[in-house]
């Protein structure tokens, strides 16, 4: 899980609180599509803390939760068995 914050000070405070509680924490910038200015990228606090702990901190520091786990690509699109040729619905001409 990760918390996303627009304010660097808020992100660093959440990072400090989580580290003080003994969780692994990493702070980074997140670039979303269409954002050109590097200074406008929000801050991401990635941690191994339980989701409820991060949710409380995110609510208190005006951020939002982002579930950074993605579904595997093979689970999203299962292969479909297709016929080798078109099906004939009419009798062949005699």
């Amino acid at each position: 899980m990760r918390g996303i914050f627009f304010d660097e000070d808020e992100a660093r405070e959440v990072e400090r609180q989580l580290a003080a509680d003994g969780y692994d924490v990493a702070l980074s910038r997140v670039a979303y599509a269409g954002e050109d200015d590097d200074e406008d990228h929000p801050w991401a606090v990635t941690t191994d803390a339980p989701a409820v702990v991060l949710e409380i901190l995110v609510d208190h520091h005006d951020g939002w939760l982002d579930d950074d786990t993605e579904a595997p690509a093979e689970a999203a699109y299962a292969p479909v068995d297709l016929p080798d040729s078109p099906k004939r619905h009419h009798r062949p001409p005699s």
Side-chain angles (χ1 to χ4, degrees), residues 8 63 68-69 73 79:
E8 179 183 4
D68 59 348
T69 59

Side-chain angles (χ1 to χ4, degrees), residues 3-5 53-65:
I4 307 295
F5 304 89
V53 171
L54 186 57
E55 183 177 2
I56 291 169
L57 290 170
V58 163
D59 286 344
H60 186 263
H61 292 280
D62 297 324
W64 73 90
L65 280 179

Side-chain angles (χ1 to χ4, degrees), residues 2-24:
R2 66 183 179 178
I4 307 295
F5 304 89
F6 281 109
D7 185 31
E8 179 183 4
D9 294 334
E10 298 288 341
R12 293 205 182 272
E13 177 61 23
V14 169
E15 176 191 31
R16 186 194 63 74
Q17 288 179 359
L18 289 170
D21 288 340
Y23 298 111
D24 290 333

Side-chain angles (χ1 to χ4, degrees), residues 24-68:
D24 290 333
V25 186
L27 185 67
S28 62
R29 300 295 291 265
V30 179
Y32 289 112
E35 291 184 354
D36 297 332
D37 188 8
D38 288 339
E39 295 300 317
D40 288 337
H41 296 311
W43 293 87
V45 178
T46 306
T47 182
D48 64 345
V52 79
V53 171
L54 186 57
E55 183 177 2
I56 291 169
L57 290 170
V58 163
D59 286 344
H60 186 263
H61 292 280
D62 297 324
W64 73 90
L65 280 179
D66 183 28
D67 186 7
D68 59 348

